[in-house]
């Protein structure tokens, strides 16, 4: 960082301090000593509970305010100058309205607290694709989480060099009242204001606010893509590796897929990222991906030694747990963990848990924060400044009906249509009703920082620059039968689908052409030892024309809502699907 850049940063910090009036200002260096000191402060204040030091060394439980446990999409705004640039899927607030109504909430909001200045780097050090942000916050919990999720301190300022191109994030807990909670994004000044929440995606501004909402705008301007995707490497028994990126809405199994241990002998998965992916067209005509993050902020419930052994190994040391339950031996517990909770369980709010209470002991959106370096499956590609070249992109939804286990798009343009029109059932990752089907284009509905019609156009434009584009697939692990039973076992068995995906990429498998795309021949999905019945596989690969026609009507309504900026090519894809379904 040079002198001029430093001056700019200091000026900005002074301006924020004048508004928020903290007791002191502390520049975070990201060191071990600094983290230990903050942890001790949290422990002595009672905000951090040290966990059983033998079973969970150097790990803590944090309980958030019970009204602050998930992202609040209705309080999240894109503050573009013109409403049309936020588009039909975002809440819009004009920058002047934000200045009038939101900025005053920061007035004295840090009174009596320390203001932390957190420089962070998104992406591998030394990568031309990495970006810097500086987050101001008055929450020690946020600082400690950012230290896991990003590369924090000196490394970020060094990366900045003589550039002032960094994202400015201002975060304050305020009074934590949902009435005075706002998460505002200003694309033109690359600035974020977040007040009234200490929860993950609302408060760790590096994550959704920077690496998705603002980065998506930057990516549009500069010719790349910022996506809500995991990245994994899949190596077959012959030793050939394919990299795959996969978009799923929040709490639909990205972390489980990214850390998968294949049930098929001889296959291996390495983890590059579990939530966010920045992709750049390379000179070789391929699409190259980096993970901007350094840690995982994973959903705890459902994580177990059976469903995700790598996660269980990653989270039993140096972890922060948020809103999980606590056993009497000071170990964390959540629904879906294989181990029994035993007597004397304390629920996520800190109350004695009653078995009869019907309420879950851990909050359904409870989380673990751990460095990706903890993860046994971590891949070396995660640190490669060039990223990893993608062979395939998966779009995944949570659908109890309709969507088959897997199908492949005809080409890039059709794949963009498949991603753009995906719909998924809502989860506990955001406040609001659960299990409601909604369109969630590319799993970016809550995270695309600009007009979604322009976003689709940008995807189409990127495809034109790729001589060797990744193939695009749609997957659904969540299909159920009439009794509600899941038809597919998921987790480690998902490698059987990934295997077919890579075989398609290698040109080693024929497929069946259907109106919605290419489906596997039943014989080509290797089911040996999976326990899946042939009947169920038939159902999993079924394309019901009537059902798809009803879906197409729903999709048509969504495309109309996208409005005048919907690319004509996607309208044409829609017409094409209708013709094929009628044909
Ligand atoms: O809370 S986060 O937004 O970071 C997690 C998620 O919802 O994907
Ligand atoms: Mn996510």
């Amino acid at each position: 960082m040079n002198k001029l850049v430093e001056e700019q940063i200091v000026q900005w910090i002074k301006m924020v301090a004048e508004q928020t009036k903290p007791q002191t200002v502390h520049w975070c260096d990201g060191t071990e000593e600094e983290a230990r000191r903050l942890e001790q402060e949290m422990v002595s204040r009672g905000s951090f509970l040290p966990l059983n030091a033998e079973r969970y060394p150097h790990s803590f439980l944090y309980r958030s305010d019970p009204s602050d446990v998930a992202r609040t999409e209705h309080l999240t705004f894109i503050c573009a100058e013109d409403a049309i640039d936020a588009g039909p899927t975002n809440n819009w607030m004009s920058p002047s309205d934000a200045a009038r109504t939101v900025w005053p909430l920061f007035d004295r909001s840090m009174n009596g607290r320390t203001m932390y200045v957190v420089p962070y780097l998104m992406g591998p050090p030394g990568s031309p694709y990495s970006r810097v942000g500086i987050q101001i916050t008055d929450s020690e919990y946020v600082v400690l989480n950012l230290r896991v999720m990003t590369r924090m301190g000196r490394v970020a300022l060094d990366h900045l060099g003589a550039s002032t191109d960094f994202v400015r994030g201002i975060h304050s807990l305020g009074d934590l009242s949902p009435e005075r909670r706002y998460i505002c994004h200003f694309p033109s000044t690359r600035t974020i204001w977040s007040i009234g929440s200490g929860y993950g995606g609302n408060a760790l501004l590096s994550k959704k606010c920077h690496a998705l909402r603002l980065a998506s705008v930057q990516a549009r301007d500069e010719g790349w893509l910022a996506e809500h995707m995991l990245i994994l490497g899949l190596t077959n028994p012959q030793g050939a590796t394919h990299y795959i990126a996969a978009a799923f809405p929040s709490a639909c199994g990205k972390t489980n897929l990214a850390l998968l241990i294949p049930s098929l002998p001889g296959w291996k998965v390495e983890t590059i990222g579990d939530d966010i992916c920045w992709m750049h067209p390379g000179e070789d005509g391929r699409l190259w991906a980096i993970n901007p993050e350094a840690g995982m902020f994973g959903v705890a419930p459902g994580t177990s030694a059976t469903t995700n052994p790598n996660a269980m190994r990653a989270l039993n040391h140096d972890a922060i747990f948020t809103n999980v339950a606590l056993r009497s031996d000071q170990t964390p517990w959540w629904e879906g963990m294989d181990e029994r909770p035993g007597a004397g369980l304390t629920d996520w709010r800190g109350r004695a848990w009653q078995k009869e209470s019907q309420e879950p002991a851990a909050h359904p959106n409870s989380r673990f924060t751990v460095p990706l370096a903890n993860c046994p499956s971590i891949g070396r590609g995660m640190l490669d400044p060039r990223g990893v070249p993608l062979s395939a992109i998966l779009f995944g939804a949570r659908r109890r009906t309709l969507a088959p286990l897997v199908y492949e798009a005809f080409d890039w343009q059709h794949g963009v249509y498949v991603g753009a029109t995906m719909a998924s059932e809502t989860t506990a990752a955001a406040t609001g009703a659960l299990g409601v089907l909604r369109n969630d284009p590319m799993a970016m509905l809550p995270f695309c920082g600009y007009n979604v019609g322009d976003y689709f156009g940008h995807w189409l434009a990127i495809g034109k620059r790729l001589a060797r584009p990744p193939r695009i697939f749609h997957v659904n692990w969540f299909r159920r039968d009439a009794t509600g039973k899941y038809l597919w076992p998921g987790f480690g068995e998902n490698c059987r689908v990934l295997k077919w995906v890579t075989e398609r990429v290698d040109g080693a498998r024929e497929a069946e052409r259907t109106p919605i795309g290419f489906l596997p021949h039943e014989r080509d999905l290797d089911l040996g030892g999976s326990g899946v019945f042939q009947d169920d596989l038939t159902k999993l690969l079924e394309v019901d024309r009537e059902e798809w026609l009803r879906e197409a009507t729903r999709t048509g309504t969504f495309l109309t809502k996208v409005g005048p900026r919907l690319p004509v090519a996607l309208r044409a894809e829609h017409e094409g699907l209708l013709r094929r379904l009628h044909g």
Side-chain angles (χ1 to χ4, degrees):
M1 183 177 52
N2 75 14
K3 211 77 226 126
L4 272 163
V5 180
E6 188 176 341
E7 251 165 49
Q8 265 209 24
I9 298 174
V10 169
Q11 278 308 319
W12 173 61
I13 285 161
K14 236 169 100 184
M15 183 279 287
V16 178
E18 267 159 29
Q19 177 75 352
T20 56
K21 300 277 191 296
Q23 194 167 38
T24 50
V25 177
H26 174 80
W27 281 68
C28 292
D29 57 15
T31 56
E32 186 86 35
E33 302 80 71
E34 180 181 74
R36 298 283 161 145
R37 191 171 55 69
L38 290 176
E39 287 160 8
Q40 276 323 306
E41 262 175 49
M42 300 268 295
V43 169
S44 51
R45 220 185 308 131
S47 323
F48 251 11
L49 219 90
L51 294 175
N52 184 312
E54 258 157 55
R55 289 199 53 203
Y56 288 85
H58 185 229
S59 298
F60 302 92
L61 167 64
Y62 174 80
R63 295 189 182 116
S64 79
D65 189 280
S67 68
D68 189 28
V69 292
R71 278 183 293 102
T72 40
E73 294 178 1
H74 60 295
L75 305 173
T76 302
F77 294 85
I78 301 298
C79 303
E81 302 293 330
D82 291 323
I84 184 77
D85 292 322
T89 54
N90 281 311
N91 302 311
W92 175 73
M93 191 188 291
S94 74
S96 54
D97 277 353
R100 208 167 35 245
T101 58
V102 180
W103 186 244
L105 300 176
F106 285 94
D107 185 16
R108 298 177 182 277
S109 69
M110 297 188 185
N111 211 345
R113 298 184 190 145
T114 300
M115 175 169 122
Y116 298 93
V117 179
V118 185
Y120 61 86
L121 178 68
M122 301 304 281
S127 170
Y129 308 135
S130 295
R131 294 298 168 116
V132 173
I134 300 182
Q135 174 167 350
I136 292 172
T137 179
D138 54 2
S139 158
E140 287 83 12
Y141 169 78
V142 166
V143 174
L144 289 167
N145 274 272
L146 284 175
R147 181 164 180 274
V148 176
M149 297 305 299
T150 71
R151 294 155 173 105
M152 180 175 159
R154 186 82 258 155
V155 62
L157 297 174
D158 287 348
H159 189 92
L160 208 49
S163 163
T164 52
D165 176 18
F166 62 91
V167 165
R168 294 156 170 77
I170 308 175
H171 168 253
S172 174
L173 297 169
D175 61 6
L176 283 182
S177 160
E179 270 81 62
R180 284 174 290 283
R181 179 178 302 163
Y182 291 93
I183 301 100
C184 293
H185 306 71
F186 301 84
S188 60
T189 55
R190 311 273 195 248
T191 300
I192 307 153
W193 296 349
S194 168
I195 183 137
S197 169
Y199 169 75
N202 291 341
L204 311 176
L205 303 187
S206 64
K207 199 170 179 52
K208 309 299 179 171
C209 303
H210 176 166
L212 288 177
R213 297 196 191 95
L214 289 185
S216 64
V217 177
Q218 241 170 332
R220 175 201 61 191
D221 295 347
E222 298 169 5
W224 49 285
L225 289 164
E227 297 299 323
H228 193 205
M229 293 179 179
L230 66 94
I231 312 164
L232 63 81
L234 180 68
T235 305
N236 67 18
Q238 290 72 45
T241 300
H242 281 293
Y243 291 97
I244 300 175
F248 294 78
S250 302
C252 289
K254 278 195 300 302
T255 304
N256 290 331
L257 189 62
L259 274 63
L260 174 133
I261 297 181
S263 59
L264 288 170
W267 290 74
K268 203 187 105 204
V269 162
E270 58 191 286
T271 308
I272 307 293
D274 83 323
D275 193 39
I276 299 179
C277 169
W278 288 354
M279 306 189 278
H280 291 76
E283 276 168 16
D284 60 355
R286 292 192 287 180
L287 194 57
W288 290 73
I290 63 161
N291 172 14
E293 299 192 288
M296 300 189 279
F297 183 62
V299 178
T303 309
S304 75
T306 319
T307 61
N308 194 339
N310 276 335
M312 292 305 279
R313 270 177 238 138
L315 57 70
N316 66 16
H317 61 104
D318 305 290
I320 302 169
F321 294 91
T322 303
N323 294 335
V324 298
L326 185 69
R327 287 187 283 207
S328 56
D329 64 352
Q330 304 295 104
T331 57
W333 190 85
W334 47 79
E335 279 68 20
M337 189 191 249
D338 294 333
E339 298 169 42
R340 296 165 66 84
L345 191 67
T346 307
D347 78 3
W348 64 276
R349 298 185 203 220
R351 304 176 307 195
W353 185 68
Q354 316 291 347
K355 242 201 181 93
E356 315 73 47
S357 78
Q358 305 287 328
E359 288 197 19
H363 189 276
N365 191 39
S366 52
R367 299 271 173 166
F368 55 81
T369 318
V370 288
L372 264 160
N374 276 20
C375 183
S377 57
I378 186 75
R380 243 186 308 179
M382 190 198 158
L383 293 175
D384 195 325
R386 295 168 311 165
V388 294
L390 294 178
S391 297
I393 288 175
L394 316 185
F395 291 116
R398 183 185 283 273
R399 299 289 303 253
R400 54 181 65 219
T401 58
L402 186 85
L405 179 62
V406 58
Y407 63 98
E408 183 187 347
F410 298 120
D411 52 30
W412 181 271
Q413 178 174 300
H414 179 236
V416 172
Y417 172 80
V418 168
T421 56
M422 72 188 244
S424 193
E425 291 147 21
T426 52
T427 69
T431 57
L434 295 185
V436 178
L437 187 68
R438 67 173 186 180
N439 277 88
D440 189 347
M442 279 101 170
M444 283 286 277
L445 178 73
F447 307 123
C448 180
Y450 61 104
N451 187 301
V452 75
D454 294 342
Y455 170 69
F456 297 155
H458 182 56
W459 262 85
L460 294 170
I462 290 285
K464 297 216 166 70
R465 291 174 49 199
L466 300 172
R468 297 155 71 193
R471 301 269 203 105
I472 300 181
F473 298 79
H474 187 281
V475 299
N476 177 23
W477 319 133
F478 302 94
R479 186 106 173 222
R480 306 207 204 186
D481 68 10
T483 68
K485 182 180 82 82
Y486 284 106
L487 289 169
W488 180 249
F491 305 108
E493 306 296 0
N494 289 337
C495 72
R496 297 168 193 274
V497 172
L498 300 185
K499 174 173 181 261
W500 183 78
V501 163
T502 57
E503 287 167 348
R504 285 291 295 166
V505 170
D506 289 336
R509 291 279 178 220
E510 298 287 309
E512 189 181 334
R513 198 182 171 93
T514 77
I516 63 165
F518 293 115
L519 263 89
H521 293 300
E522 284 186 24
R523 60 171 186 272
D524 286 344
L525 273 183
D526 184 345
L527 289 190
S530 69
V532 174
F533 295 113
Q534 202 62 35
D535 283 7
D536 285 348
L537 182 64
T538 306
K539 280 187 221 141
L540 281 162
L541 296 179
E542 178 180 79
V543 180
D544 180 323
R545 282 179 192 247
E546 290 307 312
E547 234 186 321
W548 273 97
L549 278 167
R550 278 196 298 278
E551 173 79 355
T553 306
R554 236 181 39 76
T555 302
T557 310
F558 170 71
L559 294 178
T560 303
K561 185 182 149 198
V562 172
R565 298 205 186 175
L566 177 74
V568 285
L570 291 196
R571 186 48 85 182
E573 285 294 339
H574 187 63
E575 303 299 328
L577 172 66
L578 285 172
R579 258 195 318 277
R580 292 191 300 272
L581 287 169
H582 282 298

